[in-house]
Every structure is written in structure tokens, then in C-alpha cells.
Amino acid sequence: MGFLRGGLVLCILLLLCSFERSFGSGKTRHLKWDVEYMFWSPDCKESVVMGINGQFPGPTIRAKAGDTISVLLTNKLHTEGVVIHWHGIRQVGTPWADGTASISQCAINPGETFDYRFVVDKPGTYFYHGHFGMQRSAGLYGSLIVDVADGDQREPFHYDGEFNMLLSDWWHQSVHHQEVGLSSKPFRWIGEPQTVLINGRGQFNCSLAAHFSNTTSTNQCNLRGNEQCAPQILRVLPNKTYRLRIASTTALASLNLAVGGHKMVVVEADGNYVQPFQVEDIDIYPGQSYSVLIRTNQEASKNYWISIGVRGRRPQTPQALTLLNYAPTSTSKIPLSPPPVTPAWNDYGHSKSFSNKILALMGSQKPPINYDRRIILLNTQNLIDGFIKWSINNISLHLPSTPYLGSIKYSLKTAFDNKSPPENFASDYDIMKPPVNPNTTIGNGVYMLPLNTTVDVILQNANALLTNVSEIHPWHLHGHDFWVLGYGEGKFTKEDEKKFNLKNPPLRNTAVIFPHGWTALRFVTDNPGVWAFHCHIEPHLHMGMGVVFAEGVQHVNGIPNQALACGLTGNRFMKTTQN
Amino acid sequence: MGFLRGGLVLCILLLLCSFERSFGSGKTRHLKWDVEYMFWSPDCKESVVMGINGQFPGPTIRAKAGDTISVLLTNKLHTEGVVIHWHGIRQVGTPWADGTASISQCAINPGETFDYRFVVDKPGTYFYHGHFGMQRSAGLYGSLIVDVADGDQREPFHYDGEFNMLLSDWWHQSVHHQEVGLSSKPFRWIGEPQTVLINGRGQFNCSLAAHFSNTTSTNQCNLRGNEQCAPQILRVLPNKTYRLRIASTTALASLNLAVGGHKMVVVEADGNYVQPFQVEDIDIYPGQSYSVLIRTNQEASKNYWISIGVRGRRPQTPQALTLLNYAPTSTSKIPLSPPPVTPAWNDYGHSKSFSNKILALMGSQKPPINYDRRIILLNTQNLIDGFIKWSINNISLHLPSTPYLGSIKYSLKTAFDNKSPPENFASDYDIMKPPVNPNTTIGNGVYMLPLNTTVDVILQNANALLTNVSEIHPWHLHGHDFWVLGYGEGKFTKEDEKKFNLKNPPLRNTAVIFPHGWTALRFVTDNPGVWAFHCHIEPHLHMGMGVVFAEGVQHVNGIPNQALACGLTGNRFMKTTQN
């Protein structure tokens, strides 16, 4: 008995492949989007999700490198503002289009339309998502795929077909409710997600692989295939090479993906080519993307599981599953073996081994040998007035109501804390113990970075409030890729610098820090704007886990009025004739 | 066994009476309010409510006539804008402080503060509430009580003490969820409220009067008295006169209130004195307020029920209950008889009889004998593109993103429909049948009213989409009181004018139309501004049941910039130096 009645599978396959038609290199692609809440059943249980043009996830944008994207985004929410961040797109020359509320623009008011217009300058696997409150968790996300430009040299690897897998996690409790809990005293944690979704589809009350379960409590899914929660099956031909574009916009879950019976060759990370390497499974942290190649060289009469499990936190969420199906084998044929087992959640050795394999493709741009400035950022969990917060060098970020891009450009000094936040932490701080930092405060100061300097950031992890607990945090930088110079254990010391990889460190936009460890990043301040740098775990950012970099803002010109029409910039520049 | 263990009752009593201290006539009362979501248990079941300064309902404002109120309102919501409307306050000279999003001001953005500064010029029982999306339903409301000014003559009736009862209805489904359902195709109705609240307190899983219930399914409440859902008991002394200030901010429920064993004398309606009349029970529609006097002339050793039931819709909500307690009788003593029975929900004869008893106190201001303009507004329920809407003369109101006050003041003609909405409907329209109006549209046109004219509004009710259904609608006018000239059955005709009460019609701000009937109102356009006139049932307004009156807007000066910093006014008046 198949878990998916055939017939409609072809439709799903066509859907998966029917990307927006390409208009050639350097074209402007005009999109009109309405954001609104709607009823949807991402995991077979009905919820309210934030959709775009009636779709969840939002429409996939497909473009070629050099194209200009114009998204006329209309806010159809009733009382909420909205913004969309184009994750991985550097927004060179358009920092106001980065889609970060309180940083790059005023949130778009209900009923209003904002034109997000920006160039996608680099091929790769990207995505977009809400960046106001926790609207990403509410379902405001979609894929953004950039192909090589016409006439450009081709990708440095061959493939015959491709599939796009945008991964996310889903809660049944509304995001509004989650936000209240996180901001309450006593604190209420959101808990682990109910479901992991692949392209917005998961199964909560049943499993596609219940046959293999030891317990009888899990029901086998009985889906027709046209349900909102029915899996999209990856239908392939034998003896071909397929590119899987895998991106994670999860709010919390670090994931691990494996394809039963198939090895994967990693070729891209966060829109940058990497030296190809073969693995059995890959780790994907929130905010990261990969392309992997699989060769369909297995028995064509069978189907194979694609399984995605949670890592880095004690999992309470079932694996997400779908099938790799060799045409013309029936999609209703259940694989003979159970889905690949996700490595133990706390097997950090496995995680580190994977991370360390990621190196830049030969010939990639190398980092400057020397740095001009080094900022060391201690990550701690703190109690502030009884509220649980995350802090960086003892400051928990609370964004101001006036976006920085305008307030810095126009020197509105009361818009945020003018004192520069610290660039290091006390040398005697014990990162192995629960935090002893009584001076932790709420703040919104900015790291002011001169243009064209090389900045090192050392992300230093530490123990959380509970003894012997240190969490994974995937840090994402806006407006830039950074080189990942290395990962290390314990407290970073000057000695560790010697181990930096300056030869072929990978460029990416999101890198993880492991428990009680550090991660070293380097980037060049070549992009005027104000850029968020933050943990990409949505509730952690909500709890203050981020910093703000301002970079040559005096060189920014052409901020749209609409991006400034709130807070102090709104007040400063409103000139009516009445008074 | 008492439903309320004593002891804490005194605290509740003190709380009930500890209104803000008065600073004398003509003073400015400065208040600082933070609006935020919080966990709360209004009916013993935990929900997320919109609170002010950690309180639900929001703080009671107590002032004297002639005082200026300044509320520095800070929006502490994460992604939602907010406004507060001061229901019943006419905002003479301060139309931008009326607190209606899209009409009088731009919604206050998250993190921003707006100064609501206005004069309370008339003693009475008022309240305030959110007026953006359905934030009123989310719990954003509180009482506003204006006493006679020092030195002014006293109220035209005597009382020894007073109690304030702000009534509301409560749903367990979040307002965000409700909004999505109302805006969906197929339509999802919000259903009847789970609980009716008195000063934000009700009981969902139990009844204070279960002893008297015929069924065993209702549990007797076992409350200590300090719960958020414990009733506030009205503690009185024998042989005194008490004023009950009763206001309804319900989203849906029309209510009826009775005090066991006590008659009530109605003395005030919507902030206007009325000719005192005695009743056994009173009807209160959403948006209305009354003061009634009760004489504590009953047996002092007993307690008496105060019961509030639903009328006008088939009720599925239990009566709200509290006690009238004669000191020093124990509050834990259960009354000997069951709570007063609410009149049948569809006994409109009872309702009309009550409404017709309400007449202006002798000596009150009389309406002009003649009108300059008469606007007849047909109320219909319609299907527009498959969405269920309420329409007025075939137009369902969808508010624009640029508030009218600014767009009209500055003649921004693209901000809203410039075509004036119709002032009448087809003479052959059959109000007794489901609507036949295929030209119904969504719109946002404005009735432009010259200053200092007398306007009659005839509200004409009609049949809803279902055969033989016509609902009650309480219409509320901003910026004004109106005279209620009369209520009638069927379709209004010129002949009906002869029955108008021009001698002593009551002044009020909210009047009901009965099923298949009409209500005639008259007001003078003496207040420059843009004023909403709408059904005060929250989901009905959300579904388009309102119109907009603009009145001498060219005379409005001093609109705060912040009230204009959105939409087209934001765009028009933003002048930066960069371009």
C-alpha cells in the first residue's frame, strides 16, 4: 500500500520544475506580491500562515546573475508592518533594499507598497524571508535561485537536472503567542518545532515511513498527493547527475539531510562554489544553503528516502521525509529499508568534521592576509531584570524605532546609543561556566566601520545559564560574504590565529559557532550601508542576539523616502505647509 | 460554601474605588502608557490579551470636565501599529487625536510614542479602545470617567457612591485568527463569544450560580478572589443611592443587565443626561454607556445577583455575574434566588420599549427644527467576489492606507475614491428580502459635509443574505453627539418624518437600528475633522460596515507630523537633503 497515490505526482514534479521563465542577462524582473495571512495546512494540520500571492512558501524567484529584481511588495496584513530580506544578496548600492526593519528601512505599513529593487550579482542558491518581529517563523519565506548569466562561463560542475528544497520548521502555536512567551517574565520557551517542512510540506499526525517504526503509535500517512502537506517527490532518471539546492530558513532547528543509498558531492555553500567533496549526509544550520550533486546510479526499480532530522538540540521533532523516485518506477513503492538515520544530535565531532571539509573552490578569491581591526564577540545568555536574553559582550540588542540607515546618514544622534559597543570581553571571563556578568544591559549601539578595511570577527561561544549547556548559533552577516578562517575549541587566544586558514577558506554568509568554541571570520568593508550581523535562530535574535555594523554610510545616496518615513527620520523630514 | 472567599474582597472594593486623584478643573493630566501583549486569564482560561502598563483592561482615566488629557502612548507591540480612540470625546479642535487609523492619523509604529492630547469637555461615562484592525477585540480598552468641573453645578441627581462596570465579550480564538477567517473565502464567522466580562473578569469553565442550574454540567466556581477572573463585587451600605456607570465595549454582543431585587433609574446615556426613568433591566448595545441609580433598600442580610445576558443574537454565552453585597454581610453568602433572567434574545418589543423611554433631560439642548441635508444609508450584507461583506448604499468600506485627515487637508486626490458615495438607495429596494444588489463594490469615498449645517442620517436596516434574517447594528458617530429623532419599522418614508421627536430627543453617540427597521439621527457639522460613522460591532466594521464624514477640513490646523508620516502624506512631505 503506497503512502502516495500516483497520478498527481507528475503534476508535483512539473510544479517543482516550473520556475519563472528567464528573460536573459541583465534584465529587470518585475514581480508584484501581496503578503497576507491565510489558512494553510503545512503539516496536514490547519494553521494560519503568512503567504505571498496566496502561496506558501512564497513564489520562487528565478533569475540570472546581473539581473535586477523588482518586487512591488504590498502589505495586505491588517495591523502589522512587513519587510522582506533577500538572504545572501549583498545589496551593493541598494542598502535600503536589504529588508531589515529598524536597520535598513521603516517597515511597510498595512496597505502600502514598497519596491524592492536590487541586482542579483552572483549565481547561487538563496532565499528570502521576513525580518520584522518573528514573521519568518510565521511562514514568510521562499526561494531565490540565481543562475549563471547568459554567455558567462558555465557552473564549474555538470548536472542534468535540479531540485530545490527549502527547509523550514513549523510550530502549531502562533508566532504572536510565541513572541509574548519569549518576552515574558517568567520566560516561556517556544519548545521544539512540531514539524520540519520541505518546500512548506510536512506530516505531523502521520509518517511516510511508519512501516519502519518500532512503535504502533505512529500512523502511516494516507495522502492522495494533492494535499498542501503531501510531499514533493523528486523524480529522476537513472544514471544522471542531479543538483539538489538545499536551503534552510528554519527558525530554530539545525538539520541533517541524507539520501538513502546515495552519496552527495557538495559543490556550493551560501552562493559560493566550494572544493567538491563527497559525504553521506550534510548539516545545514538556519540561514545556510548548499548545492549537492547526486548520481542516480542505484537500482532504478526501487525508491529511496530523503530524510532530514534535527541536530544540535535534543530532537523532539520527527524526521522530514520525501522520496527519490527513479522513473518509471511507481512513486507508491515504499523503499525496502528505513530512512537514513540522522547522526546523534550531540555528535559535534561529526558536525565539525563536516564544517572543516568546506573549502573554497580553487581559484576563488582569497582573504587579505592581514586584518585592520579585530572584534571579539562573546555570546552569553543572561538574566536582565528577570528576563532571559542573549547578549553580545554584555549587550542584548533591542532595535530602535528609527532605522539606522537613516539615523546614521542624517546624524540623528538620539536615535540610538552613541557609545560604541565593546570590541572584546573581560580576559578572565570563564566561558565554561554559567555567566557572571552583572552589568548586562539592553542596548542598540553600532560598530562603526570605515570603508575598505579588513575586519576580523571572532565569535566566542560560552556556557548558557544552565551548567554544562552551550548551544549552537549560526551567525549571519548582511551585505557581505565572509571568509571562515577557522573553528576552535574553548576560549580564543592569539595563538589560535596561527591555525587560521588563509589559503582556501570558504566564503559564505552564515557560519556556526559550536558549543564552548569559537569561529573566526574575516570580511572587507566594501559595501556602504548598515548591516545586521546576528544569530539566525529566530527566537535568539528576538532575545537580543545580534549586533549592527555601519559601513561608510556617508556614501549612501538615494534612500527612498518611504524607507525613512517613520521614527525620528519621519519626524525630521516631514515638512508640511500648515505650521 | 461561598464562591468567593472573603478577605480579599475589601481590596477589590478599594481597587474599584481608587481612581486617579483629581487635580482640579482645567488641569492637564499626564499619563504614560505602554501597550503590549501579555498572558492573562480574563475568564479563568489563559489567553494573550492586549494590555496597557501590564493591566487588563487598561487603566481607568478619571478627570474633570475641562481637563486636558495627555496620554503618551508607546507602542510596545512587536510588529503591529496601534491607535486608541476616546469613545464619546468629541475632540473639538484636535481631530488628529481621535485615534482612528486610516482616518485621523497614521497608526503608531512599534517602538514609537504618540501624544494623545485632548480636552474632555463634558461630564459622563466614556471609554477608550483600539481602533485599528480588530485590536479592540484583543482587549485594548478601558474606562474614561469625566466628573463635573469644580465649581460647576452638580450632577442633576444625587448619589452616595458609584461603581464602574465596563462590559466586554471574549473569545478564546486569537483576534489574528478571527481576522483571517472574516477575510477568507469561504467566510468563517467568529461565532458567539465564549464569555462576557465585567471589568475584564468573567468565568468560562464554571458559574458563580451553578447551584441554580438545571444541568449538572456546570461547575460551581471555586475562586479565592485574587484571580484575574474573580468577579469584582459591588459592596454597598444599606439605604444609600449608588450610581452604576455601565459601558459596553463588546465586539459583538448586545447585552441586558439586571440587578436582582433592585430597580434601576436611568439618568445618563453616552455622556448626556436623560429624563430619569425606572426599569427592571437595561439593554446596552456595543459602544453605548449608561448611568443608572440604584437604591439599596432591600434586606441587608442578603446578597443580590447582578446578571448580564446576551440579546439580539441567539445566545451561546453564559450570563456574566457578580454580586451586590450589603456590608457587613459576608460576600460568600449565595443569594437565595437565581440570577435575574435575561429577556428572550429576540424580544425586540422589549428592546424598542426601552429605547423609546430614553429622552433628553428637561432643559437639554434641542435639535434644529429643520435639516439642510438628509443622507439615507441602506445597511446590507452582500457577496462581493465570493467574500461576505457589509455595505452601505452598495459600498463596503475598505479604509485607505493614507489617513483621510491628511489627504483631504492637502488635497491628495489619489488617496481615496473621489466620487462621493450615494446619499440614498433605489426606491424599489425590498428591505424584507435578501439583497439584490449586483453592483456592490469595495470603496473608500467620503461624504463631504460643509461646516455648520444640519444633517439628518436615516439608517435603513434590511434583510441579510439569509431569508428572514435582519440583525441589530449599533451605529457610532465620531466627533459628535447626535439627536435620536426616532425609530421605525420597515422602510423609511417621508411620512415617517412627522413622527420625529424634535421636542426632547436624546443626544448620544451610538444608536441602534432594529431588524428590518430604521433609525433617524440629526447632528450639526460644527467640528472640523474627518469622522468615522460605523457599526460598532467589530467584525461588522472589519467587513466594511461604515462610512466617513469630512467636515470643514480646511479649518483644521496643527496636525502633528507623526499623524501624517505614512502613505501619500508621508511621501509628499518627506524632504530629505540627499536627492
Side-chain angles (χ1 to χ4, degrees):
Chain A
M1 227 183 57
F3 67 88
L4 193 80
R5 302 189 201 134
L8 285 154
V9 175
L10 256 172
C11 300
I12 293 170
L13 179 71
L14 289 170
L15 200 83
L16 205 70
C17 299
S18 77
F19 296 118
E20 186 177 289
R21 224 170 290 279
S22 162
F23 302 106
S25 179
K27 294 243 171 123
T28 299
R29 290 168 193 267
H30 294 278
L31 303 169
K32 288 184 89 166
W33 285 2
D34 289 344
V35 175
E36 61 190 322
Y37 283 110
M38 55 188 194
F39 294 112
W40 202 268
S41 303
D43 63 355
C44 307
K45 183 172 152 50
E46 188 184 77
S47 296
V48 169
V49 311
M50 207 175 261
I52 297 174
N53 292 354
Q55 297 176 43
F56 169 77
T60 293
I61 300 180
R62 189 100 198 186
K64 297 198 175 183
D67 285 355
T68 297
I69 307 289
S70 161
V71 177
L72 278 175
L73 189 80
T74 299
N75 179 355
K76 296 266 187 178
L77 309 173
H78 293 113
T79 53
E80 288 181 65
V82 78
V83 293
I84 288 187
H85 169 59
W86 316 92
H87 187 107
I89 307 302
R90 290 168 296 176
Q91 302 291 352
V92 176
T94 53
W96 51 80
D98 194 43
T100 44
S102 286
I103 299 174
S104 63
Q105 69 169 122
C106 298
I108 307 162
N109 295 313
E112 295 190 32
T113 299
F114 186 83
D115 186 3
Y116 281 105
R117 192 177 283 257
F118 55 90
V119 174
V120 290
D121 59 353
K122 203 158 55 82
T125 304
Y126 305 103
F127 54 102
Y128 60 84
H129 60 78
H131 213 298
F132 188 30
M134 287 173 53
Q135 291 180 344
R136 175 162 62 99
S137 293
L140 186 55
Y141 44 72
S143 295
L144 197 177
I145 309 295
V146 182
D147 291 304
V148 291
D150 289 336
D152 275 24
Q153 68 180 87
R154 297 180 61 83
E155 310 263 5
F157 41 84
H158 163 81
Y159 52 99
D160 301 297
E162 66 169 72
F163 295 95
N164 185 30
M165 301 175 80
L166 181 64
L167 312 180
S168 57
D169 43 8
W170 191 250
W171 281 256
H172 293 156
Q173 188 177 60
S174 82
V175 165
H176 298 106
H177 203 112
Q178 291 179 33
E179 281 177 343
V180 179
L182 294 171
S183 308
S184 286
K185 187 164 60 171
F187 179 77
R188 298 195 195 178
W189 177 239
I190 61 170
E192 297 300 311
Q194 272 70 61
T195 314
V196 171
L197 309 178
I198 309 172
N199 293 330
R201 293 154 177 272
Q203 299 80 38
F204 171 68
N205 273 326
C206 66
S207 167
L208 304 179
H211 302 86
F212 300 103
S213 173
N214 293 330
T215 68
T216 53
S217 62
T218 310
N219 292 322
Q220 180 69 24
C221 294
N222 185 17
L223 296 166
R224 292 184 307 277
N226 61 347
E227 297 88 351
Q228 290 170 342
C229 64
Q232 291 181 339
I233 286 175
L234 279 60
R235 197 149 207 212
V236 294
L237 297 172
N239 296 311
K240 301 280 183 189
T241 300
Y242 290 89
R243 178 181 191 169
L244 307 188
R245 296 178 180 271
I246 304 159
S248 175
T249 183
T250 54
L252 176 64
S254 297
L255 300 174
N256 180 279
L257 179 145
V259 184
H262 293 73
K263 295 195 191 306
M264 295 178 280
V265 175
V266 181
V267 292
E268 182 215 344
D270 298 359
N272 293 285
Y273 298 126
V274 300
Q275 197 64 39
F277 63 100
Q278 185 173 282
V279 286
E280 301 279 341
D281 59 87
I282 65 164
D283 283 328
I284 318 128
Y285 300 99
Q288 293 189 329
S289 67
Y290 290 101
S291 283
V292 300
L293 302 179
I294 58 167
R295 183 78 192 157
T296 52
N297 54 7
Q298 297 301 303
E299 217 174 301
S301 62
K302 289 187 195 165
N303 288 323
Y304 301 87
W305 292 114
I306 299 178
S307 75
I308 301 165
V310 174
R311 301 199 71 221
R313 308 179 63 88
R314 194 181 295 276
Q316 293 174 28
T317 314
Q319 282 184 329
L321 295 173
T322 188
L323 280 190
L324 184 72
N325 164 252
Y326 283 59
T329 301
S330 165
T331 54
S332 59
K333 208 166 173 181
I334 294 281
L336 294 179
S337 16
V341 174
T342 303
W345 71 273
N346 54 359
D347 181 356
Y348 294 112
H350 189 95
S351 312
K352 289 169 189 171
S353 161
F354 176 74
S355 292
N356 284 315
K357 283 180 189 154
I358 301 167
L359 299 169
L361 182 66
M362 214 180 306
S364 300
Q365 195 193 352
K366 289 188 180 181
I369 297 298
N370 299 307
Y371 64 90
D372 299 307
R373 183 170 176 179
R374 177 169 287 169
I375 299 172
I376 303 182
L377 300 177
L378 176 69
N379 290 231
T380 56
Q381 195 182 34
N382 303 91
L383 273 177
I384 305 181
D385 297 334
F387 294 96
I388 298 183
K389 299 285 180 188
W390 288 95
S391 309
I392 307 307
N393 292 349
N394 271 0
I395 298 174
S396 182
L397 181 64
H398 184 81
L399 291 169
S401 53
T402 308
Y404 292 106
L405 189 62
S407 61
I408 296 174
K409 166 85 184 168
Y410 296 106
S411 305
L412 304 181
K413 295 201 183 299
T414 58
F416 58 91
D417 300 344
N418 284 279
K419 191 164 167 261
S420 205
E423 310 217 347
N424 208 333
F425 60 95
S427 60
D428 61 350
Y429 188 89
D430 187 346
I431 66 149
M432 301 306 291
K433 293 201 174 140
V436 190
N437 36 359
N439 299 319
T440 308
T441 55
I442 305 287
N444 55 28
V446 173
Y447 292 92
M448 297 288 180
L449 306 179
L451 264 192
N452 299 314
T453 56
T454 301
V455 176
D456 273 14
V457 174
I458 313 294
L459 289 163
Q460 177 65 60
N461 210 340
N463 203 93
L465 286 167
L466 289 175
T467 309
N468 291 325
V469 171
S470 184
E471 299 188 16
I472 280 182
H473 302 286
W475 277 78
H476 172 63
L477 179 58
H478 290 231
H480 300 270
D481 288 331
F482 48 66
W483 289 277
V484 185
L485 304 185
Y487 303 89
E489 312 282 329
K491 200 195 276 191
F492 177 81
T493 67
K494 190 77 184 158
E495 281 301 295
D496 289 316
E497 195 179 302
K498 294 177 184 159
K499 291 176 272 176
F500 282 0
N501 173 11
L502 297 176
K503 196 181 123 228
N504 58 356
L507 269 170
R508 57 192 316 177
N509 60 54
T510 306
V512 80
I513 46 173
F514 292 107
H516 296 115
W518 55 261
T519 299
L521 314 173
R522 182 166 291 181
F523 69 99
V524 176
T525 59
D526 55 4
N527 192 9
V530 183
W531 308 111
F533 180 49
H534 62 90
C535 176
H536 213 263
I537 291 178
E538 187 90 320
H540 287 187
L541 175 58
H542 188 83
M543 293 160 72
M545 199 166 207
V547 297
V548 176
F549 294 146
E551 207 170 311
V553 177
Q554 67 279 15
H555 299 287
V556 174
N557 286 299
I559 308 173
N561 279 340
Q562 200 184 345
L564 298 166
C566 66
L568 297 179
T569 41
N571 199 44
R572 160 97 179 256
F573 295 117
M574 286 289 293
K575 306 278 186 225
T576 57
T577 51
Q578 64 179 345
N579 298 318
Chain B
M1 230 183 58
F3 67 87
L4 193 79
R5 303 189 199 131
L8 284 153
V9 175
L10 256 172
C11 301
I12 294 170
L13 180 70
L14 288 169
L15 200 84
L16 206 69
C17 299
S18 78
F19 296 118
E20 187 175 289
R21 222 170 291 279
S22 164
F23 302 104
S25 179
K27 295 244 170 120
T28 299
R29 291 168 192 267
H30 294 278
L31 303 169
K32 288 182 89 165
W33 286 2
D34 289 344
V35 174
E36 62 190 322
Y37 283 109
M38 55 189 193
F39 294 113
W40 202 268
S41 303
D43 61 356
C44 306
K45 183 170 154 50
E46 189 185 78
S47 296
V48 169
V49 310
M50 208 174 260
I52 297 173
N53 292 353
Q55 298 176 44
F56 169 77
T60 294
I61 300 179
R62 188 99 197 186
K64 296 197 176 185
D67 285 355
T68 298
I69 307 290
S70 160
V71 177
L72 278 175
L73 189 81
T74 299
N75 178 355
K76 298 265 187 179
L77 308 174
H78 293 113
T79 52
E80 287 180 65
V82 77
V83 294
I84 289 188
H85 169 59
W86 316 92
H87 187 107
I89 306 301
R90 290 169 295 176
Q91 302 290 353
V92 177
T94 54
W96 51 81
D98 193 43
T100 44
S102 287
I103 300 175
S104 63
Q105 69 170 121
C106 298
I108 307 162
N109 294 314
E112 295 190 31
T113 299
F114 186 83
D115 186 2
Y116 282 104
R117 192 177 283 257
F118 55 88
V119 173
V120 290
D121 59 352
K122 203 159 56 87
T125 302
Y126 306 103
F127 54 103
Y128 60 84
H129 59 78
H131 213 297
F132 188 30
M134 287 173 53
Q135 292 180 343
R136 174 162 63 100
S137 292
L140 185 55
Y141 44 72
S143 294
L144 197 176
I145 309 294
V146 182
D147 291 303
V148 291
D150 288 336
D152 275 24
Q153 67 181 86
R154 298 181 59 83
E155 309 264 7
F157 42 83
H158 163 81
Y159 53 99
D160 301 298
E162 65 168 74
F163 295 94
N164 187 28
M165 302 176 80
L166 181 64
L167 312 180
S168 57
D169 42 9
W170 191 250
W171 281 257
H172 293 156
Q173 187 177 61
S174 81
V175 166
H176 298 106
H177 203 112
Q178 291 179 32
E179 281 177 344
V180 178
L182 293 171
S183 308
S184 286
K185 188 165 60 172
F187 179 77
R188 298 194 196 180
W189 177 238
I190 61 170
E192 297 301 310
Q194 272 69 60
T195 313
V196 170
L197 309 177
I198 309 172
N199 293 329
R201 295 155 176 270
Q203 298 81 38
F204 171 68
N205 274 325
C206 66
S207 168
L208 304 179
H211 300 87
F212 300 103
S213 172
N214 293 330
T215 68
T216 54
S217 63
T218 310
N219 292 322
Q220 180 70 21
C221 295
N222 185 18
L223 297 166
R224 294 183 307 277
N226 61 346
E227 297 88 351
Q228 289 170 342
C229 64
Q232 290 180 337
I233 287 176
L234 280 60
R235 198 147 207 217
V236 294
L237 296 172
N239 296 312
K240 301 280 183 188
T241 300
Y242 290 90
R243 178 180 190 169
L244 307 188
R245 295 178 179 270
I246 303 158
S248 174
T249 183
T250 53
L252 175 65
S254 296
L255 301 175
N256 181 279
L257 180 146
V259 184
H262 294 72
K263 295 194 192 306
M264 297 177 279
V265 175
V266 181
V267 293
E268 181 215 344
D270 298 359
N272 293 286
Y273 298 125
V274 301
Q275 198 63 39
F277 64 100
Q278 185 173 284
V279 286
E280 300 280 340
D281 60 87
I282 65 164
D283 282 329
I284 317 129
Y285 299 101
Q288 293 189 328
S289 68
Y290 289 101
S291 284
V292 301
L293 303 180
I294 56 168
R295 184 77 193 158
T296 52
N297 53 8
Q298 299 300 303
E299 217 175 301
S301 62
K302 289 187 195 164
N303 288 323
Y304 300 87
W305 291 114
I306 298 178
S307 75
I308 301 164
V310 174
R311 302 199 71 221
R313 306 179 65 88
R314 194 182 296 274
Q316 294 173 27
T317 314
Q319 281 184 331
L321 296 173
T322 188
L323 280 190
L324 183 73
N325 164 253
Y326 282 60
T329 301
S330 164
T331 54
S332 59
K333 207 166 173 181
I334 295 281
L336 294 178
S337 17
V341 174
T342 303
W345 70 273
N346 55 358
D347 181 356
Y348 293 113
H350 189 95
S351 313
K352 290 169 190 171
S353 160
F354 177 74
S355 291
N356 284 317
K357 283 181 189 155
I358 301 166
L359 299 169
L361 182 66
M362 214 181 304
S364 299
Q365 195 193 353
K366 289 188 180 183
I369 296 297
N370 299 309
Y371 64 92
D372 299 306
R373 184 168 175 180
R374 177 169 287 170
I375 299 172
I376 304 182
L377 301 177
L378 175 70
N379 291 231
T380 56
Q381 195 183 33
N382 304 88
L383 273 178
I384 304 181
D385 296 332
F387 294 95
I388 299 184
K389 298 284 179 190
W390 288 96
S391 309
I392 306 307
N393 291 348
N394 270 0
I395 298 174
S396 182
L397 181 64
H398 183 82
L399 291 169
S401 53
T402 308
Y404 293 106
L405 189 62
S407 62
I408 296 174
K409 167 83 184 170
Y410 295 106
S411 306
L412 304 181
K413 296 203 182 298
T414 59
F416 58 91
D417 301 344
N418 284 280
K419 191 164 168 261
S420 206
E423 310 217 348
N424 207 334
F425 59 95
S427 60
D428 61 351
Y429 188 90
D430 187 346
I431 66 150
M432 301 306 290
K433 293 201 175 140
V436 190
N437 33 0
N439 299 320
T440 308
T441 56
I442 306 287
N444 56 27
V446 173
Y447 293 91
M448 298 286 180
L449 306 179
L451 264 191
N452 298 315
T453 55
T454 300
V455 175
D456 273 15
V457 174
I458 313 295
L459 289 163
Q460 176 65 59
N461 210 341
N463 203 94
L465 286 167
L466 289 175
T467 308
N468 290 326
V469 171
S470 183
E471 298 187 16
I472 279 182
H473 303 285
W475 278 77
H476 171 62
L477 178 60
H478 290 232
H480 300 269
D481 289 331
F482 48 66
W483 289 275
V484 185
L485 303 185
Y487 303 89
E489 311 282 330
K491 200 193 281 192
F492 177 81
T493 66
K494 191 80 183 156
E495 281 300 296
D496 288 316
E497 195 178 302
K498 292 179 185 158
K499 291 176 272 176
F500 282 179
N501 173 11
L502 297 177
K503 196 180 124 228
N504 57 357
L507 268 172
R508 57 191 316 176
N509 60 55
T510 307
V512 79
I513 45 173
F514 292 107
H516 296 116
W518 56 262
T519 298
L521 314 174
R522 181 167 292 181
F523 69 99
V524 176
T525 59
D526 54 4
N527 192 9
V530 183
W531 308 110
F533 179 49
H534 61 90
C535 176
H536 213 263
I537 291 178
E538 187 91 321
H540 286 188
L541 175 58
H542 187 83
M543 293 161 71
M545 199 166 205
V547 297
V548 176
F549 293 147
E551 206 170 311
V553 177
Q554 68 279 16
H555 298 287
V556 174
N557 286 299
I559 307 173
N561 279 340
Q562 199 184 345
L564 299 166
C566 67
L568 298 180
T569 41
N571 198 45
R572 159 96 180 255
F573 296 116
M574 286 290 292
K575 307 279 186 222
T576 58
T577 51
Q578 65 179 343
N579 298 320

